[in-house]
Amino acid sequence: MKRVLVAIGVLAVFGARPASAQSADDCVPSALNIPEAKYPCLYADHRALFRVVAPDAQKVRLRMGPGFDMTKGPDGIWSVTTTPLVAGFHYYSLQIDGAVIADPSTHTYFGSGWQNSAIEVPAPDARFYEHQDVPHGRVSQQWYYSKVTAKWRRAFVYTPPDYDAAKKSYPVVYLLHGWGEDETGWYRQGHVDDILDNLIAAKKATPMIVVMDNLNAVKPGESAALFAARGLVPPPSDTPPAPPSRGAPPAPGGRGAGPGAAGRGPGGPLGRPTYTEMMFTDLVPMIERTYRVRPGKDNRAMAGLSMGGAQTFATTLVNLDKFAYIAGFSGNCGGFGRGNDAPDMKTICGGAFAEPSTFNSKVKLLFLGIGQAEGPGTKNFSEALQKAGVHNVYFESPETAHEWLTWRRAFNEFAPRLFK
Amino acid sequence: MKRVLVAIGVLAVFGARPASAQSADDCVPSALNIPEAKYPCLYADHRALFRVVAPDAQKVRLRMGPGFDMTKGPDGIWSVTTTPLVAGFHYYSLQIDGAVIADPSTHTYFGSGWQNSAIEVPAPDARFYEHQDVPHGRVSQQWYYSKVTAKWRRAFVYTPPDYDAAKKSYPVVYLLHGWGEDETGWYRQGHVDDILDNLIAAKKATPMIVVMDNLNAVKPGESAALFAARGLVPPPSDTPPAPPSRGAPPAPGGRGAGPGAAGRGPGGPLGRPTYTEMMFTDLVPMIERTYRVRPGKDNRAMAGLSMGGAQTFATTLVNLDKFAYIAGFSGNCGGFGRGNDAPDMKTICGGAFAEPSTFNSKVKLLFLGIGQAEGPGTKNFSEALQKAGVHNVYFESPETAHEWLTWRRAFNEFAPRLFK
């Protein structure tokens, strides 16, 4: 497969924005706010105004990127207006006299292992992930019992608009979230249903089923340890705990907030074997039993973001007889972007790329997506693969960091290349 | 229809509980906590231990029923152990130096107009709403465009376990949440999918479709005003705002926390005509076009809790040609339980009960559910209807207040009586 550098026509839209003073009336509530909540809101230049009622607090801080101290008004309400924010979906939290909490004015989104608040800064290319007047598929909650983990698990499954009427079978994408997120991430933060509805309506993508699972899978007795980096409240003890370190959100205005091209968290660069075992023992058979699924590797893709990208590589590279389409969005294998940009192409990623012609004959698409602000690791990986003869597609999301707009765009570029 | 007082065998289980000291090791994390969060946790006697990190705060309070002041430990963590809590799902919030916020240790649930934290106190009869090893139906997100409100709306739709395989048609229940809640309430807080899966597996209920819609429907220009009682952050001004008044949760150990038998909030005892118009113009046609629905009033039920109960009466009583099954759970019409316990049965509820034999011939089931701690309004209503000759079924949930365990139990008693 020929390597293609995908350019999307939005760079010109990000330009110098007017920094003139604007009245609070010009501040538009974020789309993620609870009903009737005016704050946080966004000015046309993407500065955001945050407000929170905390009449007796001594110190209130907005935890977003480098952080912003809020100031108290005469009404006991704390406010801050940020510098212009990069477009996209940003997790954030507030710190009130040392307590790290979600802003009560927004809906909450599971990320960094807890229910964060979030703000949505409209992207210039937002239409591709917006709910439009096209036929809509359906996202369904799908419970299944896992013999491997000895627990009930929940996935969400997207079925395309014609699923009920057409009575035909469909190819399937298995799609994983990132560290500290869960099976709700791709349809809530990611808008995967709207992206596919829009692509299918425009005849740019083949109708497909998308399975959004939870990558946290441990056997009885195995340590989960997936949320170790987050500040859970410890049990009573005489030992002072470490300060809370809830997920640091993106740098406002900013670059370089992402942790680079590789998946974060434990599990190592090749992810967790338990997830792979669970997937083939429990998840895939349940999906193929429950939905009208077209069989065989040419009708099966796997993709994931960040830690879910690392898991995707771990699962697929040792199962190339089962997947013809593979994607990592801000997450892959081999250590690129983590201080290891010139590894031995014969041995990295479990030796999957040691024989490029074999790999190319088995894999119809290897897709690597990244945010422009995440650093050159993924681009270097793509180029090293290309140089070694391994076909791949590289996609870079303009301006964005290790965030959901990167992954929405990456999926929007990945999906049209599937099952053709 | 004969009036039946449904007794469920749980009263004996609520008894004197040992008040002896217990170690923190005996405290079991609430089922609603985020992964790995140990707090809040529950002792066997249903006292709950809450903990929150707020090292620099001056005053931290648990907002649940009468409220509990928390105390600061040497590690900067605030704690409190409550008195024994009534079984069920309880919304709660924390107040940290005046800021009313969700506890970062729990998943959040939309209630009182924002994303609350919540704790689940296991009920003695919990098995009926637990996820068991039975065939499972599916809850799907269903978008639809409303011509009446000129907006996209979202419902959740439960389809029974045999929906895909059986290729037959099903009767439908339209089911509404309460004030300050939304279309996610019945499957997240209410476990309606598990309740029906369990009833269907036990052959106690006919397989049916359940449509969980959002009762907030306003035309362009119409005021929503549904969340007026909640403490939204006001815009900048010189006027000090009223103190926040986020949803007061249940009285711990306690009784009488509920606002009585009637639906709260604006819209009056007969609900909002816009919802009814939207339902018949947009929702019902979309459901009957999209799912395999058995036609006619004998295959259509409507039910709701609290304000959704009031809306159910408002919608159905003037459309008795469209619904053969009607239920209000802690919400009805006529003003019972709100200082009006002896109204004129000929004129209340829009005169729907003026001719009992006509009503009885049209309605196969009128079901009135309530929590024991909510006061006698609904029981008085049921008895007054019975005395006037209007057949109805009365159900009282032992010990519970204006809360989700009341409504889970009420639905569990209602569903087996449908479509027979």
Side-chain angles (χ1 to χ4, degrees):
Chain A
M1 171 159 289
K2 196 163 173 296
R3 180 174 175 274
V4 183
L5 175 64
V6 179
I8 63 175
V10 298
L11 266 170
V13 184
F14 293 95
R17 298 190 191 91
S20 60
Q22 286 168 304
S23 115
D25 292 344
D26 299 327
C27 202
V28 179
S30 161
L32 311 183
N33 290 1
I34 56 173
E36 301 178 45
K38 291 190 165 64
Y39 308 99
C41 61
L42 288 148
Y43 294 105
D45 64 358
H46 289 185
R47 290 176 304 134
L49 169 58
F50 292 79
R51 284 168 66 76
V52 62
V53 177
D56 307 320
Q58 302 302 304
K59 185 172 164 66
V60 179
R61 199 169 158 78
L62 167 64
R63 298 179 80 250
M64 193 179 209
F68 296 86
D69 285 329
M70 300 178 79
T71 56
K72 187 178 178 177
D75 50 9
I77 298 175
W78 297 72
S79 297
V80 71
T81 300
T82 65
T83 50
L85 304 179
V86 164
F89 174 103
H90 309 310
Y91 294 117
Y92 74 93
S93 56
L94 301 176
Q95 189 158 16
I96 299 181
D97 286 350
V100 176
I101 51 106
D103 184 345
S105 293
T106 87
H107 283 292
T108 57
Y109 297 85
F110 199 70
S112 301
W114 70 304
Q115 293 286 353
N116 286 259
S117 31
I119 185 170
E120 178 81 40
V121 182
D125 54 340
R127 276 190 69 77
F128 83 86
Y129 61 79
E130 283 176 349
H131 202 74
Q132 298 186 25
D133 187 15
V134 298
H136 291 286
R138 200 180 291 150
V139 171
S140 303
Q141 178 174 263
Q142 181 66 56
W143 286 95
Y144 65 105
Y145 186 78
S146 163
K147 284 176 285 196
V148 170
T149 67
K151 281 190 178 152
W152 284 96
R153 293 173 54 88
R154 184 174 71 164
F156 284 93
V157 178
Y158 168 87
T159 46
D162 65 355
Y163 186 84
D164 280 356
K167 307 290 177 211
K168 63 184 183 184
S169 296
Y170 297 83
V172 182
V173 188
Y174 292 86
L175 190 58
L176 288 176
H177 57 84
W179 175 86
E181 295 172 335
D182 68 12
E183 69 275 19
T184 64
W186 268 107
Y187 85 93
R188 296 195 65 227
Q189 290 94 308
H191 293 217
V192 73
D193 48 346
D194 287 316
I195 294 171
L196 270 176
D197 291 342
N198 293 335
L199 287 171
I200 291 168
K203 299 195 186 306
K204 290 181 182 167
T206 302
M208 62 187 83
I209 291 169
V210 181
V211 177
M212 295 163 267
D213 196 38
N214 187 317
L215 71 73
N216 305 311
V218 291
K219 297 183 182 185
E222 226 177 10
S223 165
L226 286 169
F227 299 105
R230 193 175 43 77
L232 290 165
V233 185
S237 101
D238 297 329
T239 315
S245 62
R246 287 218 163 76
R255 310 267 174 157
R264 286 189 280 190
L270 281 185
R272 291 173 161 259
T274 299
Y275 186 81
T276 302
E277 183 184 348
M278 189 289 303
M279 187 173 168
F280 290 122
T281 306
D282 300 314
L283 178 64
V284 172
M286 179 279 292
I287 291 295
E288 301 197 343
R289 197 168 59 231
T290 309
Y291 296 86
R292 296 194 308 274
V293 170
R294 217 179 289 163
K297 67 173 282 186
D298 286 351
N299 296 303
R300 198 182 293 132
M302 187 169 178
L305 72 90
S306 191
M307 186 176 172
Q311 182 65 53
T312 295
F313 280 79
T315 298
T316 58
L317 295 185
V318 293
N319 286 288
L320 293 181
D321 57 321
K322 296 189 174 70
F323 300 92
Y325 302 87
I326 301 168
F329 311 144
S330 308
N332 49 59
C333 63
F336 281 87
R338 296 189 297 175
N340 183 27
D341 277 9
D344 180 357
M345 295 304 292
K346 295 281 183 198
T347 59
I348 61 162
C349 304
F353 306 119
E355 292 178 32
S357 61
T358 306
F359 184 89
N360 293 341
S361 71
K362 290 183 173 178
V363 176
K364 291 192 172 183
L365 172 64
L366 172 62
F367 182 100
L368 302 171
I370 194 75
Q372 188 183 8
E374 294 190 76
T378 294
K379 191 174 186 187
N380 293 345
F381 183 41
S382 169
E383 287 174 354
L385 285 171
Q386 198 65 28
K387 197 173 161 194
V390 177
H391 299 169
N392 69 92
V393 170
Y394 173 72
F395 167 73
E396 188 175 291
S397 165
E399 298 230 348
T400 58
H402 200 70
E403 290 206 280
W404 276 99
L405 183 53
T406 298
W407 306 321
R408 291 176 191 164
R409 285 176 174 164
F411 186 83
N412 190 53
E413 295 293 331
F414 174 59
R417 299 162 189 276
L418 293 176
F419 314 124
K420 297 270 166 107
Chain B
M1 171 157 292
K2 196 161 171 297
R3 180 173 175 273
V4 181
L5 176 64
V6 179
I8 62 175
V10 297
L11 267 169
V13 183
F14 292 96
R17 298 190 191 91
S20 60
Q22 287 167 304
S23 118
D25 292 343
D26 299 327
C27 202
V28 179
S30 161
L32 311 183
N33 291 0
I34 56 173
E36 300 179 46
K38 291 190 165 62
Y39 308 98
C41 62
L42 289 148
Y43 293 105
D45 64 358
H46 289 185
R47 289 175 306 132
L49 169 58
F50 292 80
R51 284 169 66 77
V52 62
V53 177
D56 308 320
Q58 301 303 303
K59 185 173 163 68
V60 178
R61 198 169 158 78
L62 167 64
R63 299 178 79 251
M64 195 179 206
F68 295 86
D69 285 330
M70 301 179 78
T71 55
K72 187 177 178 177
D75 49 9
I77 297 175
W78 297 71
S79 296
V80 70
T81 300
T82 65
T83 49
L85 303 179
V86 165
F89 174 102
H90 309 311
Y91 294 117
Y92 74 92
S93 56
L94 302 175
Q95 189 159 17
I96 299 181
D97 286 352
V100 176
I101 51 105
D103 183 345
S105 292
T106 86
H107 283 293
T108 58
Y109 297 86
F110 198 71
S112 303
W114 71 303
Q115 294 285 354
N116 286 259
S117 32
I119 185 171
E120 179 83 40
V121 182
D125 54 340
R127 276 189 70 77
F128 82 87
Y129 60 79
E130 283 176 350
H131 202 74
Q132 298 186 26
D133 187 15
V134 298
H136 291 286
R138 200 180 290 149
V139 171
S140 302
Q141 178 174 264
Q142 181 65 55
W143 287 95
Y144 65 104
Y145 185 78
S146 163
K147 285 177 285 196
V148 170
T149 66
K151 280 189 179 153
W152 284 96
R153 293 172 54 86
R154 184 175 71 164
F156 284 93
V157 178
Y158 167 87
T159 46
D162 65 354
Y163 186 84
D164 280 355
K167 306 291 179 210
K168 63 184 183 185
S169 296
Y170 297 83
V172 182
V173 188
Y174 292 87
L175 190 59
L176 289 176
H177 58 84
W179 174 85
E181 295 172 335
D182 68 11
E183 68 275 19
T184 63
W186 268 107
Y187 85 93
R188 297 194 66 227
Q189 289 94 308
H191 293 217
V192 72
D193 48 347
D194 287 315
I195 294 172
L196 270 174
D197 290 343
N198 293 336
L199 287 171
I200 292 168
K203 299 195 187 307
K204 289 181 182 167
T206 302
M208 62 187 82
I209 291 170
V210 181
V211 177
M212 295 163 268
D213 196 38
N214 187 318
L215 70 73
N216 305 313
V218 291
K219 296 183 182 185
E222 225 176 12
S223 166
L226 287 169
F227 299 105
R230 193 176 42 76
L232 290 165
V233 184
S237 101
D238 296 330
T239 315
S245 62
R246 286 217 165 77
R255 310 265 172 158
R264 287 189 282 190
L270 282 184
R272 292 173 159 258
T274 298
Y275 186 80
T276 302
E277 182 184 348
M278 189 289 302
M279 187 173 168
F280 290 123
T281 307
D282 300 314
L283 177 64
V284 172
M286 179 279 290
I287 291 295
E288 301 196 344
R289 197 167 60 233
T290 309
Y291 295 86
R292 296 193 308 275
V293 169
R294 217 178 291 164
K297 66 172 281 186
D298 287 351
N299 296 303
R300 199 181 293 131
M302 186 171 180
L305 74 91
S306 192
M307 187 175 172
Q311 183 66 53
T312 295
F313 281 80
T315 297
T316 57
L317 295 185
V318 293
N319 286 288
L320 293 182
D321 57 321
K322 297 190 174 69
F323 299 92
Y325 302 87
I326 301 168
F329 310 145
S330 310
N332 48 59
C333 63
F336 281 87
R338 295 188 298 174
N340 183 26
D341 277 8
D344 180 356
M345 296 302 293
K346 295 283 182 196
T347 59
I348 61 163
C349 304
F353 306 119
E355 292 179 33
S357 62
T358 306
F359 184 89
N360 293 340
S361 71
K362 291 182 173 176
V363 176
K364 290 192 172 183
L365 173 64
L366 172 62
F367 182 99
L368 302 171
I370 194 76
Q372 187 183 9
E374 293 190 76
T378 294
K379 190 174 187 187
N380 293 345
F381 183 40
S382 168
E383 287 175 353
L385 286 171
Q386 198 65 29
K387 197 172 159 194
V390 177
H391 299 169
N392 69 91
V393 169
Y394 173 72
F395 167 72
E396 189 175 291
S397 165
E399 298 227 350
T400 58
H402 200 72
E403 290 206 283
W404 276 99
L405 184 52
T406 297
W407 307 320
R408 291 177 191 163
R409 285 176 175 165
F411 186 83
N412 190 53
E413 295 293 330
F414 175 59
R417 298 162 190 275
L418 292 175
F419 314 123
K420 297 272 164 108

